[in-house]
């Protein structure tokens, strides 16, 4: 089996690749080749069982994308995107990467002809939903994004549905919760502070909190995100019909509840490192996101969520210790 991961140098893409390289398979099928693509090279190497090809380039360039698909991978994971804050700040770049890049990929697959029918796993976002929100967003709630990033992801969902309906590929779209705790340095995502208020205090550093303590949000761990991707790549799709995109399960918590979990795991000193620094731009973006879901279709399809936020924090602590050797 041949796999292609677009966005393989990102946190979730790298974890996905590492999981596959460690197990040597996808579901119950052995993997013998993996192509890892991103805007810069992913830090991945071949194993005895799997030949890894690391490539870098611009997904907004159609010729580049055609080259990625030329090997006819059996499963394509499309994780590459300009994140929410950057997509809002740079309108042209957001649409070039998030919309045009996705269309290039789908068209490159179609150009291979009717005898090529890969599984395509597309990472979308809860940003496809817009206010006014129900208390819990159900599977039938209208998608009406209030940000450029959300609009770009929504266009990708519509394309995925239509290209799958036409039989060009077998697509599954997964709307990811905000993934925490992200390791490393902050990125330009408006949601980045959700990781920062855990990651930095655990490392003995101060973190800025730009929103109020009563702000509620929808979370999942990096491990849960990898689990979503693996399941989306191997599940049967007949149950999805023409609605190929699913809201992933997660945890709905306020900032206050997140900090309570941090206090329980790491103590009051860690919580004291979180400093209230209001940021109106971030507050406005976050206010346009839904806060709680009832993801019945995803649960019925076999996707599973984290048990609690304390588990997410403890997993980050373990990952940090493992990375330190």
């Amino acid at each position: 089996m041949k796999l292609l991961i677009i966005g393989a140098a990102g946190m979730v893409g790298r974890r996905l690749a590492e999981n596959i390289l460690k197990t040597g398979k996808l579901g119950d099928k052995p993997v013998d080749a993996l192509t890892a693509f991103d805007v810069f090279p992913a830090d991945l190497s071949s194993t005895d069982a799997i030949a890894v090809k690391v490539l870098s380039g611009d997904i907004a360039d159609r010729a580049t994308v055609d080259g990625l698909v030329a090997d006819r991978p059996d499963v394509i994971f499309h994780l590459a995107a300009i994140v929410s804050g950057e997509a809002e700040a740079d309108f042209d770049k957001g649409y070039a990467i998030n919309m045009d890049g996705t269309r290039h990929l789908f068209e490159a697959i179609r150009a291979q002809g009717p005898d090529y029918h890969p599984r395509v796993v597309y990472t979308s976002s809860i940003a496809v939903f817009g206010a006014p929100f129900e208390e819990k967003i159900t599977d039938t709630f209208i998608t009406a994004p209030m940000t450029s990033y959300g609009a770009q992801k929504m266009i990708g969902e519509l394309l995925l549905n239509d290209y799958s309906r036409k039989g060009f590929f077998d697509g599954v779209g997964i709307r990811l919760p905000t993934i925490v705790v992200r390791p490393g340095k902050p990125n330009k995502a408006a949601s980045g502070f959700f990781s920062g208020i855990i990651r930095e205090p655990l490392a003995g550093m101060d973190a800025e909190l730009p929103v109020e303590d009563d702000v509620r949000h929808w979370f999942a761990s990096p491990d849960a995100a990898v689990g979503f991707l693996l399941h989306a790549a191997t599940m049967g799709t007949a149950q999805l019909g023409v609605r190929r995109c699913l809201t992933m399960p997660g945890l709905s918590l306020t900032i206050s509840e997140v900090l309570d979990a941090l206090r329980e795991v790491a103590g009051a000193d860690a919580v004291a490192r979180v400093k209230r620094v209001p940021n109106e731009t971030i507050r406005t973006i976050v206010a346009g996101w839904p806060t709680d879901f009832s993801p019945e279709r995803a649960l019925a399809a076999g996707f599973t969520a984290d048990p609690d936020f304390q588990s997410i924090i403890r997993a980050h602590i373990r990952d940090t210790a493992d990375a330190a050797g």
Side-chain angles (χ1 to χ4, degrees):
M1 174 177 269
K2 294 187 291 188
L3 309 181
L4 168 62
I5 302 176
I6 300 175
M11 185 268 292
V12 175
R14 188 182 67 254
R15 278 178 175 256
L16 172 64
E18 289 172 347
N19 178 284
I20 293 167
L21 292 173
K22 181 179 180 180
T23 63
K25 59 185 181 179
L26 183 64
D28 59 359
K29 296 181 179 179
V31 175
D32 49 44
L34 187 155
T35 299
F37 175 83
D38 212 319
V39 68
F40 56 89
D43 184 17
L44 298 167
S45 301
S46 298
T47 67
D48 292 341
I50 303 177
V52 175
K53 183 189 300 182
V54 176
L55 301 174
S56 60
D58 183 2
I59 194 177
D61 178 66
R62 174 61 191 272
T64 296
V65 179
D66 283 344
L68 294 176
V69 176
D71 286 342
R72 292 191 160 201
D74 301 289
V75 178
I76 299 172
F77 295 95
H78 179 23
L79 290 81
I82 296 299
V83 294
S84 53
E86 189 174 5
E88 198 66 20
D90 192 332
F91 187 85
D92 292 332
K93 186 176 182 181
Y95 273 92
I97 301 299
N98 297 344
M99 185 186 76
D100 295 339
T102 298
R103 178 75 190 282
H104 289 335
L105 173 63
F106 293 175
E107 278 294 287
I109 295 169
R110 185 167 78 98
Q112 288 291 316
D115 63 330
Y116 178 52
H117 193 249
R119 172 65 57 88
V120 176
V121 179
Y122 171 67
T123 52
S124 187
S125 167
I126 59 174
V128 300
F129 299 104
F133 299 119
E134 298 173 348
E135 183 176 350
K136 283 182 178 287
I137 304 300
T138 65
D139 291 313
T140 58
F141 188 77
I142 187 171
T143 49
M146 300 176 67
T147 63
S148 294
Y149 175 74
Q152 293 148 15
K153 285 297 184 180
M154 185 66 247
I155 293 168
E157 288 195 7
L158 293 171
L159 292 172
L160 185 88
N161 287 339
D162 199 37
Y163 279 64
S164 295
R165 180 183 65 85
K166 296 291 285 185
F168 300 133
F169 54 70
D170 187 17
V172 180
I174 58 174
R175 300 182 188 118
L176 293 177
T178 290
I179 303 302
V180 293
V181 178
R182 290 180 174 270
K185 296 180 180 179
N187 62 20
K188 295 183 180 180
S191 60
F193 72 90
F194 288 117
S195 285
I197 62 173
I198 303 298
R199 181 184 58 234
E200 271 69 77
L202 289 174
M205 298 182 291
D206 289 346
E208 293 185 357
L209 175 61
V211 302
E212 294 82 1
D213 285 34
D214 62 354
V215 165
R216 179 175 290 276
H217 199 60
W218 187 244
F219 301 102
S221 69
D223 287 341
V226 170
F228 299 154
L229 288 160
L230 293 172
H231 186 62
T234 56
M235 65 180 286
T237 55
Q239 62 189 299
L240 301 181
V242 296
R243 295 171 58 210
R244 292 299 184 111
C245 299
L246 300 162
T247 301
M248 293 294 98
L251 299 172
S252 177
L253 298 167
T254 65
I255 294 293
S256 179
E257 290 170 327
V258 167
L259 295 179
D260 285 345
L262 177 62
R263 183 179 293 106
E264 179 179 331
V265 174
D269 288 346
V271 176
R273 297 188 183 103
V274 178
K275 310 299 181 184
R276 274 71 179 173
V277 183
N279 183 308
E280 192 58 35
T281 298
I282 293 178
R283 290 170 65 184
T284 299
I285 292 175
V286 173
W289 293 341
T291 60
D292 199 0
F293 293 85
S294 180
E296 300 301 328
R297 290 183 73 221
L299 293 171
F303 293 92
T304 57
D306 300 285
D308 51 54
F309 205 86
Q310 289 88 337
S311 299
I312 294 177
I313 296 173
R314 292 187 179 103
H316 175 70
I317 293 171
R318 290 194 298 271
D319 290 345
T320 301
D322 291 343

